[in-house]
Amino acid sequence: MDYKRKKLRLLARESSTDDAGKITYYNDLKKQERALQEEVEELLNHLPEKDRNLFRNYYLEGEQTRALEKKLGLSSSVIYNRLSRGRKQLRKLFKN
C-alpha cells in the first residue's frame, strides 16, 4: 500500500512537455489512483467494519489520534491496539 502511494507521488512529480502529453499523463495518473483506491478498499473489506473505519480515518485521511479519540470515544491505547491487530490480521491473510 505504501509503495503504491510513493509511486503515485513520484509519477505526479514527473512532467510532460506538451499539452497532449500532460492530458494523457493526467488520465493515466487518475486511472492508477482509482486502481489503488479499489485495491485498498478490497484489503480493508477483510477487516471488521469498526476497524475498517478506523483504518480509513487514520491511514487514508490522516486524522490524528487525539481527533479519533474524541470522534470515536476511545482511548489512544485502544486505537493503537486496534490498528496493530488490524495490520496483523491483514498480514496474516495476505502472507500466504
Side-chain angles (χ1 to χ4, degrees), residues 28-64:
D28 289 344
L29 188 61
K30 286 297 178 186
K31 284 180 190 176
Q32 289 178 351
E33 189 176 324
R34 278 192 297 274
L36 177 61
Q37 288 172 344
E38 289 172 8
E39 191 173 326
V40 167
E41 285 301 318
E42 184 179 326
L43 286 171
L44 293 179
N45 283 333
H46 290 87
L47 296 173
E49 186 174 353
K50 62 182 182 178
D51 291 341
R52 189 176 331 150
N53 291 331
L54 180 60
F55 265 66
R56 276 191 196 107
N57 291 330
Y58 187 78
Y59 289 113
L60 302 178
E61 296 174 16
E63 284 190 49
Q64 298 294 319

